[in-house]
Each structure stands twice: as C-alpha cells, then as structure tokens.
mmCIF file of all heavy atoms in Angstrom:
data_model
loop_
_atom_site.group_PDB
_atom_site.id
_atom_site.type_symbol
_atom_site.label_atom_id
_atom_site.label_comp_id
_atom_site.label_asym_id
_atom_site.label_seq_id
_atom_site.Cartn_x
_atom_site.Cartn_y
_atom_site.Cartn_z
ATOM 1 N N LEU A 1 0.852 -1.180 0.000
ATOM 2 C CA LEU A 1 0.000 0.000 0.000
ATOM 3 C C LEU A 1 0.886 1.228 0.000
ATOM 4 O O LEU A 1 2.018 1.187 0.505
ATOM 5 C CB LEU A 1 -0.897 0.050 1.245
ATOM 6 C CG LEU A 1 -2.147 -0.818 1.299
ATOM 7 C CD1 LEU A 1 -2.805 -0.689 2.673
ATOM 8 C CD2 LEU A 1 -3.128 -0.435 0.200
ATOM 9 N N ARG A 2 0.355 2.308 -0.538
ATOM 10 C CA ARG A 2 1.058 3.592 -0.505
ATOM 11 C C ARG A 2 0.150 4.614 0.165
ATOM 12 O O ARG A 2 -0.921 4.929 -0.359
ATOM 13 C CB ARG A 2 1.437 4.061 -1.891
ATOM 14 C CG ARG A 2 2.297 5.328 -1.910
ATOM 15 C CD ARG A 2 2.513 5.794 -3.311
ATOM 16 N NE ARG A 2 3.515 6.843 -3.419
ATOM 17 C CZ ARG A 2 3.358 7.942 -4.131
ATOM 18 N NH1 ARG A 2 2.238 8.149 -4.794
ATOM 19 N NH2 ARG A 2 4.328 8.848 -4.193
ATOM 20 N N LEU A 3 0.597 5.095 1.302
ATOM 21 C CA LEU A 3 -0.150 6.119 2.018
ATOM 22 C C LEU A 3 0.331 7.498 1.587
ATOM 23 O O LEU A 3 1.512 7.688 1.313
ATOM 24 C CB LEU A 3 0.031 5.970 3.525
ATOM 25 C CG LEU A 3 -0.307 4.618 4.130
ATOM 26 C CD1 LEU A 3 -0.152 4.682 5.648
ATOM 27 C CD2 LEU A 3 -1.703 4.172 3.744
ATOM 28 N N SER A 4 -0.608 8.442 1.571
ATOM 29 C CA SER A 4 -0.288 9.830 1.258
ATOM 30 C C SER A 4 -0.797 10.731 2.373
ATOM 31 O O SER A 4 -1.797 10.421 3.020
ATOM 32 C CB SER A 4 -0.949 10.249 -0.054
ATOM 33 O OG SER A 4 -0.515 9.461 -1.132
ATOM 34 N N CYS A 5 -0.096 11.820 2.574
ATOM 35 C CA CYS A 5 -0.528 12.829 3.533
ATOM 36 C C CYS A 5 -0.372 14.190 2.865
ATOM 37 O O CYS A 5 0.750 14.590 2.539
ATOM 38 C CB CYS A 5 0.309 12.755 4.796
ATOM 39 S SG CYS A 5 0.028 14.108 5.968
ATOM 40 N N ALA A 6 -1.489 14.853 2.662
ATOM 41 C CA ALA A 6 -1.489 16.178 2.044
ATOM 42 C C ALA A 6 -1.572 17.239 3.125
ATOM 43 O O ALA A 6 -2.481 17.204 3.955
ATOM 44 C CB ALA A 6 -2.662 16.303 1.085
ATOM 45 N N ALA A 7 -0.631 18.156 3.109
ATOM 46 C CA ALA A 7 -0.565 19.199 4.137
ATOM 47 C C ALA A 7 -1.001 20.538 3.565
ATOM 48 O O ALA A 7 -0.736 20.851 2.399
ATOM 49 C CB ALA A 7 0.850 19.310 4.681
ATOM 50 N N SER A 8 -1.651 21.333 4.409
ATOM 51 C CA SER A 8 -2.010 22.703 4.054
ATOM 52 C C SER A 8 -1.933 23.554 5.307
ATOM 53 O O SER A 8 -2.021 23.056 6.431
ATOM 54 C CB SER A 8 -3.403 22.764 3.433
ATOM 55 O OG SER A 8 -4.374 22.279 4.340
ATOM 56 N N GLY A 9 -1.732 24.848 5.081
ATOM 57 C CA GLY A 9 -1.671 25.769 6.214
ATOM 58 C C GLY A 9 -0.312 25.866 6.880
ATOM 59 O O GLY A 9 -0.183 26.523 7.922
ATOM 60 N N ILE A 10 0.694 25.198 6.315
ATOM 61 C CA ILE A 10 2.052 25.283 6.843
ATOM 62 C C ILE A 10 3.023 25.512 5.691
ATOM 63 O O ILE A 10 2.689 25.233 4.530
ATOM 64 C CB ILE A 10 2.485 24.002 7.601
ATOM 65 C CG1 ILE A 10 2.407 22.765 6.685
ATOM 66 C CG2 ILE A 10 1.662 23.817 8.865
ATOM 67 C CD1 ILE A 10 2.983 21.501 7.312
ATOM 68 N N ILE A 11 4.210 26.011 6.046
ATOM 69 C CA ILE A 11 5.282 26.100 5.045
ATOM 70 C C ILE A 11 5.918 24.713 5.017
ATOM 71 O O ILE A 11 6.847 24.407 5.770
ATOM 72 C CB ILE A 11 6.293 27.188 5.418
ATOM 73 C CG1 ILE A 11 5.580 28.534 5.572
ATOM 74 C CG2 ILE A 11 7.380 27.277 4.344
ATOM 75 C CD1 ILE A 11 6.467 29.643 6.105
ATOM 76 N N PHE A 12 5.403 23.873 4.168
ATOM 77 C CA PHE A 12 5.705 22.445 4.206
ATOM 78 C C PHE A 12 7.195 22.155 4.170
ATOM 79 O O PHE A 12 7.681 21.283 4.894
ATOM 80 C CB PHE A 12 5.005 21.752 3.038
ATOM 81 C CG PHE A 12 5.187 20.271 3.006
ATOM 82 C CD1 PHE A 12 4.395 19.451 3.794
ATOM 83 C CD2 PHE A 12 6.157 19.689 2.190
ATOM 84 C CE1 PHE A 12 4.561 18.072 3.775
ATOM 85 C CE2 PHE A 12 6.335 18.322 2.165
ATOM 86 C CZ PHE A 12 5.530 17.508 2.956
ATOM 87 N N SER A 13 7.938 22.886 3.359
ATOM 88 C CA SER A 13 9.337 22.532 3.120
ATOM 89 C C SER A 13 10.209 22.634 4.369
ATOM 90 O O SER A 13 11.275 22.009 4.422
ATOM 91 C CB SER A 13 9.911 23.403 2.011
ATOM 92 O OG SER A 13 9.874 24.770 2.380
ATOM 93 N N ILE A 14 9.782 23.391 5.374
ATOM 94 C CA ILE A 14 10.626 23.551 6.557
ATOM 95 C C ILE A 14 10.256 22.569 7.664
ATOM 96 O O ILE A 14 10.936 22.506 8.687
ATOM 97 C CB ILE A 14 10.582 24.990 7.107
ATOM 98 C CG1 ILE A 14 9.199 25.332 7.673
ATOM 99 C CG2 ILE A 14 11.005 25.978 6.042
ATOM 100 C CD1 ILE A 14 9.162 26.684 8.383
ATOM 101 N N TYR A 15 9.183 21.811 7.461
ATOM 102 C CA TYR A 15 8.716 20.879 8.476
ATOM 103 C C TYR A 15 9.352 19.508 8.306
ATOM 104 O O TYR A 15 9.504 19.011 7.190
ATOM 105 C CB TYR A 15 7.193 20.735 8.414
ATOM 106 C CG TYR A 15 6.461 21.793 9.188
ATOM 107 C CD1 TYR A 15 6.397 23.097 8.722
ATOM 108 C CD2 TYR A 15 5.837 21.484 10.392
ATOM 109 C CE1 TYR A 15 5.740 24.077 9.431
ATOM 110 C CE2 TYR A 15 5.164 22.463 11.113
ATOM 111 C CZ TYR A 15 5.123 23.755 10.629
ATOM 112 O OH TYR A 15 4.461 24.718 11.346
ATOM 113 N N ASN A 16 9.710 18.908 9.435
ATOM 114 C CA ASN A 16 10.019 17.491 9.463
ATOM 115 C C ASN A 16 8.688 16.737 9.474
ATOM 116 O O ASN A 16 7.756 17.130 10.196
ATOM 117 C CB ASN A 16 10.831 17.125 10.701
ATOM 118 C CG ASN A 16 12.165 17.849 10.755
ATOM 119 O OD1 ASN A 16 12.785 18.085 9.719
ATOM 120 N ND2 ASN A 16 12.584 18.227 11.943
ATOM 121 N N MET A 17 8.611 15.677 8.707
ATOM 122 C CA MET A 17 7.357 14.940 8.573
ATOM 123 C C MET A 17 7.537 13.495 9.017
ATOM 124 O O MET A 17 8.668 12.972 9.046
ATOM 125 C CB MET A 17 6.883 14.963 7.115
ATOM 126 C CG MET A 17 6.690 16.352 6.543
ATOM 127 S SD MET A 17 5.398 17.295 7.375
ATOM 128 C CE MET A 17 3.941 16.316 6.959
ATOM 129 N N GLY A 18 6.437 12.860 9.337
ATOM 130 C CA GLY A 18 6.563 11.468 9.755
ATOM 131 C C GLY A 18 5.235 10.749 9.811
ATOM 132 O O GLY A 18 4.178 11.346 9.562
ATOM 133 N N TRP A 19 5.337 9.473 10.126
ATOM 134 C CA TRP A 19 4.167 8.604 10.270
ATOM 135 C C TRP A 19 4.258 7.850 11.587
ATOM 136 O O TRP A 19 5.304 7.284 11.916
ATOM 137 C CB TRP A 19 4.102 7.594 9.127
ATOM 138 C CG TRP A 19 3.814 8.185 7.796
ATOM 139 C CD1 TRP A 19 4.718 8.623 6.876
ATOM 140 C CD2 TRP A 19 2.522 8.400 7.222
ATOM 141 N NE1 TRP A 19 4.075 9.106 5.762
ATOM 142 C CE2 TRP A 19 2.723 8.975 5.953
ATOM 143 C CE3 TRP A 19 1.214 8.164 7.640
ATOM 144 C CZ2 TRP A 19 1.667 9.313 5.100
ATOM 145 C CZ3 TRP A 19 0.164 8.496 6.799
ATOM 146 C CH2 TRP A 19 0.391 9.066 5.547
ATOM 147 N N TYR A 20 3.148 7.884 12.310
ATOM 148 C CA TYR A 20 2.948 7.032 13.482
ATOM 149 C C TYR A 20 1.890 5.996 13.127
ATOM 150 O O TYR A 20 1.164 6.145 12.147
ATOM 151 C CB TYR A 20 2.438 7.853 14.663
ATOM 152 C CG TYR A 20 3.485 8.491 15.522
ATOM 153 C CD1 TYR A 20 4.082 9.689 15.134
ATOM 154 C CD2 TYR A 20 3.849 7.929 16.736
ATOM 155 C CE1 TYR A 20 5.038 10.296 15.945
ATOM 156 C CE2 TYR A 20 4.794 8.533 17.555
ATOM 157 C CZ TYR A 20 5.376 9.722 17.151
ATOM 158 O OH TYR A 20 6.313 10.315 17.963
ATOM 159 N N ARG A 21 1.795 4.966 13.955
ATOM 160 C CA ARG A 21 0.670 4.048 13.841
ATOM 161 C C ARG A 21 0.167 3.676 15.222
ATOM 162 O O ARG A 21 0.915 3.647 16.193
ATOM 163 C CB ARG A 21 1.036 2.802 13.040
ATOM 164 C CG ARG A 21 2.089 1.894 13.639
ATOM 165 C CD ARG A 21 2.431 0.793 12.636
ATOM 166 N NE ARG A 21 3.449 -0.118 13.161
ATOM 167 C CZ ARG A 21 4.021 -1.083 12.441
ATOM 168 N NH1 ARG A 21 3.669 -1.263 11.152
ATOM 169 N NH2 ARG A 21 4.925 -1.872 12.990
ATOM 170 N N GLN A 22 -1.141 3.404 15.252
ATOM 171 C CA GLN A 22 -1.799 3.058 16.507
ATOM 172 C C GLN A 22 -2.631 1.812 16.274
ATOM 173 O O GLN A 22 -3.602 1.841 15.507
ATOM 174 C CB GLN A 22 -2.707 4.211 16.951
ATOM 175 C CG GLN A 22 -3.502 3.919 18.202
ATOM 176 C CD GLN A 22 -2.704 4.134 19.451
ATOM 177 O OE1 GLN A 22 -2.278 5.249 19.727
ATOM 178 N NE2 GLN A 22 -2.503 3.079 20.228
ATOM 179 N N ALA A 23 -2.218 0.726 16.917
ATOM 180 C CA ALA A 23 -2.986 -0.518 16.818
ATOM 181 C C ALA A 23 -3.825 -0.677 18.084
ATOM 182 O O ALA A 23 -3.436 -0.193 19.158
ATOM 183 C CB ALA A 23 -2.041 -1.706 16.650
ATOM 184 N N PRO A 24 -4.952 -1.355 18.001
ATOM 185 C CA PRO A 24 -5.810 -1.548 19.184
ATOM 186 C C PRO A 24 -5.046 -2.207 20.319
ATOM 187 O O PRO A 24 -4.370 -3.226 20.128
ATOM 188 C CB PRO A 24 -6.922 -2.455 18.662
ATOM 189 C CG PRO A 24 -6.958 -2.221 17.197
ATOM 190 C CD PRO A 24 -5.548 -1.950 16.799
ATOM 191 N N GLY A 25 -5.123 -1.617 21.509
ATOM 192 C CA GLY A 25 -4.492 -2.191 22.679
ATOM 193 C C GLY A 25 -2.991 -2.016 22.752
ATOM 194 O O GLY A 25 -2.342 -2.553 23.657
ATOM 195 N N LYS A 26 -2.427 -1.269 21.796
ATOM 196 C CA LYS A 26 -0.977 -1.070 21.784
ATOM 197 C C LYS A 26 -0.646 0.419 21.863
ATOM 198 O O LYS A 26 -1.477 1.272 21.542
ATOM 199 C CB LYS A 26 -0.363 -1.658 20.512
ATOM 200 C CG LYS A 26 -0.448 -3.170 20.424
ATOM 201 C CD LYS A 26 0.324 -3.676 19.219
ATOM 202 C CE LYS A 26 0.295 -5.192 19.137
ATOM 203 N NZ LYS A 26 1.054 -5.698 17.965
#
C-alpha cells in the first residue's frame, strides 16, 4: 500500500514529517 498525507496551512518545506501508527491495545 502507498499512504499519502497532504498538508495545508504550513510552510511544508521547513517541516520534518513522519508517520505514526496506533494498533488496538498497543
């Protein structure tokens, strides 16, 4: 799968970006 995250309202290029995940009970 390929996930995408579209950002708005920020100067995107200066931000560090990332992905978290949350599984049930973890």
Side-chain angles (χ1 to χ4, degrees):
L1 282 175
R2 186 185 191 226
L3 305 184
S4 300
C5 172
S8 60
I10 59 173
I11 303 173
F12 183 82
S13 61
I14 67 173
Y15 275 73
N16 299 325
M17 303 296 295
W19 292 91
Y20 273 81
R21 65 186 180 187
Q22 176 82 63
K26 293 187 178 180

